[in-house]
Amino acid sequence: MTALRKISNALSIALLFLALSLGAQPRDRSFIRNQITRNGECRNVAITQYNGDLMLYGSNGYAANGCPAGLTAALNELNAKGEYIDDVQLTEGGKWLILYGNNGFRWSDIPYSLEQKIREWNSMGEIISSVSFNDYGDWAAVSSNYVMASDSRIQDWIAEGMRKYGTVWTTCITNDSMVVVFEEGFTFLGDIPYTLRRELSNTYINVYRLKIAGDSWFFSDGVSRYRYNM
């Protein structure tokens, strides 16, 4: 299972040289920081190391920089319709998903098994609160009655966390890490910033939204309270 092991050194080196050959540089977070300051609020973000950033405010306001054209077009449409934009997931490879309104979804190139699960839960009337995925097919999703994942070992790992810490509030999966926040604590795999671990250990915020990109991170209660390092 890719989420429970490190990417091989050979693949990591290959991806590094590819990024360098394309002139990719880690993103400057000043855009996001300035937008949060300008709007005086932030409910949620989507951040990547190389593939765009955005922040959400109000019921459907957003500010985006460098995001895929299909994602910004979908956000513009939802904004124009007055839909509540709840969450946005964006990967380094350009896969994306928007959770909006009453269990509404828009997506591009997400794992097929995740798409099937979303459609199944929608048909059952499940309220879907958290969806996270990466470029390698790993995913986790939380609904009002279920917590499901792409792999049985991810599933078992989350179940172990639930026995220790209670209800799952949110998940965050990147290409090299995974974090699950529960009612009474959190667990993680792979590389996550020390500053994030420290803040999650000490925060009084009920963390329903969490995003990581390299050393940058953001978490919030999904409404008005948030912390970030970007």
Side-chain angles (χ1 to χ4, degrees):
M1 177 188 60
T2 57
L4 293 183
R5 63 170 170 79
K6 287 289 198 150
I7 301 171
S8 70
N9 287 338
L11 179 57
S12 297
I13 292 171
L15 289 173
L16 175 60
F17 276 106
L18 176 60
L20 291 174
S21 69
L22 295 176
Q25 297 293 327
R27 297 193 65 79
D28 177 3
R29 306 289 175 202
S30 60
F31 171 81
I32 291 292
R33 296 193 303 270
N34 291 340
Q35 290 298 321
I36 292 174
T37 300
R38 177 179 299 176
N39 289 285
E41 61 175 309
C42 184
R43 292 190 292 105
N44 200 354
V45 304
I47 54 176
T48 68
Q49 294 193 76
Y50 305 105
N51 197 39
D53 305 303
L54 63 86
M55 57 87 73
L56 301 177
Y57 64 94
S59 63
N60 61 7
Y62 81 94
N65 181 36
C67 293
L71 172 58
T72 54
L75 289 169
N76 283 336
E77 180 183 342
L78 294 171
N79 177 274
K81 290 180 177 180
E83 294 280 5
Y84 178 74
I85 302 173
D86 187 5
D87 193 17
V88 178
Q89 299 289 327
L90 175 61
T91 73
E92 299 294 338
K95 305 175 190 295
W96 56 265
L97 177 145
I98 305 170
L99 169 61
Y100 71 92
N102 185 21
N103 250 26
F105 285 90
R106 299 284 182 87
W107 61 66
S108 175
D109 198 27
I110 65 175
Y112 180 62
S113 57
L114 173 57
E115 178 181 339
Q116 287 181 306
K117 183 55 62 178
I118 290 172
R119 293 185 185 278
E120 176 189 343
W121 281 353
N122 265 320
S123 70
M124 296 165 57
E126 281 292 304
I127 302 300
I128 303 172
S129 59
S130 175
V131 177
S132 186
F133 54 91
N134 64 19
D135 290 313
Y136 303 114
D138 300 311
W139 59 264
V142 182
S143 77
S144 48
N145 292 296
Y146 302 99
V147 179
M148 296 297 295
S150 53
D151 185 283
S152 62
R153 285 171 288 182
I154 297 179
Q155 191 84 39
D156 293 343
W157 178 68
I158 295 175
E160 180 182 355
M162 293 174 68
R163 288 189 291 271
K164 291 181 179 179
Y165 303 117
T167 303
V168 177
W169 279 352
T170 193
T171 66
C172 177
I173 298 178
T174 72
N175 287 347
D176 55 13
S177 66
M178 180 173 182
V179 182
V180 182
V181 181
F182 305 87
E183 185 177 10
E184 299 293 337
F186 68 96
T187 58
F188 67 92
L189 297 167
D191 296 323
I192 72 169
Y194 167 75
T195 53
L196 173 59
R197 299 199 302 270
R198 183 187 64 203
E199 290 297 319
L200 286 175
S201 297
N202 296 320
T203 188
Y204 292 99
I205 295 175
N206 293 335
V207 180
Y208 288 104
R209 293 288 175 249
L210 171 64
K211 304 295 171 62
I212 305 170
D215 293 330
S216 297
W217 53 264
F218 173 97
F219 65 78
S220 77
D221 62 3
V223 181
S224 61
R225 302 181 68 190
Y226 58 86
R227 297 284 187 276
Y228 66 82
N229 180 54
M230 293 186 291

